Amino acid sequence: MNNMDFLVTLNQAYLPPLQVLLTSLRTAHPDGPLSVWLLHSGIPQPALEQVERQCGRLSIVLRCLTVGREAFDAAPVTRQYPQEMYYRLLAGCFLPKELHRVLYLDPDILVLNSLRPLWETPMEGCLFAAASHSGKTGLMNNINQVRLGTECKYFNSGVLLIDLDAARRKVVPGEVFRYAEEKGKALLLPDQDILNALYGGQTRELDDTLWNYDARNYNTYLLRSGGVCDMDWVMRNTGILHFCGKSKPWRPGYLRRFGILYKHYMQLTRRTGFYLGE
């Protein structure tokens, strides 16, 4: 079976959620080669070594690449715009040229079922494939279209299938940096807004119930599907469960529906002996 390559970009604080993601990734793919590329700007080596040991236990190949500050001399880099936010859009600049496709995942994700169908999705000339969280009415899509001056749906950047060859040709770092500079604080979710404003028209739409299920919106999915997308359906069919928003299931007091499922994967990760969380 062909290898699947995944991309994660984060700082040290998000290593424990990454470890839970890795546990779920291997659980959903008990066989077959998996490679994870970790782009970072300076995570301490002892912390990375714990993740490397976990990956060894899970038979996942982990490749850590440090991205220097010099690559962002022309970029707005502030507390609102950390350099890590650019990594997914500019992945083609940092990943090896022999790598042609990669699947970016936010660390606040659980993989519930095989991602092979997503990995093999034809890109049809697009740079990216992503899902839109349309909600009950699609109102937020309309608001974001007006705000950014776009016509496409507003895509969530937490799951991105990237055609790296096409991105190397068409995603120009200077254009990304100039847009970020010009819009400044008008960008509410900077990396996501940049994706939509510059490349929304070159993004293939994915089904969010399968490939970027917003864990906050169980009732919305249930209602929108006429009762089909219940809990059993999610567990059998959804590939990616995404814990969007500020409330996170690894923090105390999380009360949303899928919190206990996340804690189950946390416990599986603890059993490896390499978990960096509490």
Side-chain angles (χ1 to χ4, degrees):
M1 185 177 292
N2 293 335
N3 185 67
M4 289 191 286
D5 288 280
F6 298 89
L7 171 65
V8 292
T9 67
L10 42 82
N11 57 30
Q12 185 176 3
Y14 271 86
L15 285 180
L18 170 63
Q19 292 183 286
V20 177
L21 166 60
L22 294 172
T23 296
S24 71
L25 182 64
R26 177 47 82 190
T27 302
H29 305 87
D31 303 305
L34 303 173
S35 295
V36 174
W37 298 82
L38 169 57
L39 294 183
H40 67 98
S41 60
I43 298 174
Q45 188 58 34
L48 289 176
E49 287 173 356
Q50 285 291 89
V51 182
E52 289 169 351
R53 293 187 184 101
Q54 178 198 8
C55 285
R57 178 74 61 85
L58 296 173
S59 297
I60 293 174
V61 176
L62 179 68
R63 295 182 170 94
C64 300
L65 300 177
T66 304
V67 180
R69 176 66 184 89
E70 62 277 5
F72 298 92
D73 286 343
V77 177
T78 64
R79 186 171 183 177
Q80 183 189 10
Y81 297 96
Q83 72 178 48
E84 288 87 354
M85 83 166 197
Y86 298 104
Y87 292 174
R88 71 194 78 178
L89 295 180
L90 303 180
C93 300
F94 305 121
L95 294 175
K97 294 296 189 291
E98 59 269 21
L99 199 63
H100 305 292
R101 173 177 290 212
V102 76
L103 178 57
Y104 169 82
L105 299 176
D106 271 353
D108 56 348
I109 275 173
L110 289 179
V111 178
L112 302 184
N113 290 290
S114 174
L115 302 185
R116 177 65 60 179
L118 172 57
W119 176 254
E120 296 177 349
T121 297
M123 296 297 282
E124 299 179 348
C126 291
L127 304 179
F128 304 100
S132 172
H133 292 149
S134 57
K136 294 178 183 178
T137 64
L139 177 61
M140 287 308 299
N141 263 322
N142 297 334
I143 291 173
N144 285 314
Q145 286 171 345
V146 172
R147 183 171 62 86
L148 297 173
T150 60
E151 296 182 355
C152 60
K153 290 186 177 180
Y154 185 75
F155 295 107
N156 181 275
S157 63
V159 177
L160 287 177
L161 184 61
I162 306 172
D163 181 335
L164 290 170
D165 293 327
R168 291 181 184 112
R169 294 192 302 269
K170 298 181 181 180
V171 178
V172 181
E175 293 178 0
V176 172
F177 300 156
R178 279 194 297 274
Y179 186 83
E181 186 74 48
E182 290 169 3
K183 297 301 179 180
K185 294 183 179 180
L187 301 180
L188 302 180
L189 297 169
D191 56 329
Q192 194 159 278
D193 284 351
I194 293 171
L195 167 72
N196 282 275
L198 296 184
Y199 308 111
Q202 300 175 77
T203 299
R204 178 172 180 178
E205 185 177 3
L206 300 173
D207 183 344
D208 62 325
T209 60
L210 296 176
W211 307 124
N212 197 341
Y213 185 107
D214 188 336
R216 300 171 296 184
N217 293 336
Y218 173 82
N219 290 333
T220 297
Y221 287 114
L222 189 64
L223 179 64
R224 199 171 69 187
S225 67
V228 172
C229 295
D230 59 10
M231 185 66 72
D232 288 336
W233 187 96
V234 171
M235 296 305 298
R236 288 196 306 267
N237 296 281
T238 294
I240 294 174
L241 181 65
H242 192 179
F243 292 88
C244 304
K246 293 182 178 180
S247 182
K248 301 299 184 185
W250 57 85
R251 294 177 182 147
Y254 187 86
L255 299 175
R256 296 183 185 275
R257 186 178 303 265
F258 292 99
I260 190 65
L261 179 62
Y262 193 90
K263 291 185 183 302
H264 168 68
Y265 281 98
M266 285 178 66
Q267 183 62 15
L268 292 179
T269 307
R270 286 192 186 97
R271 289 175 185 168
T272 67
F274 304 123
Y275 185 49
L276 291 164
E278 296 180 2

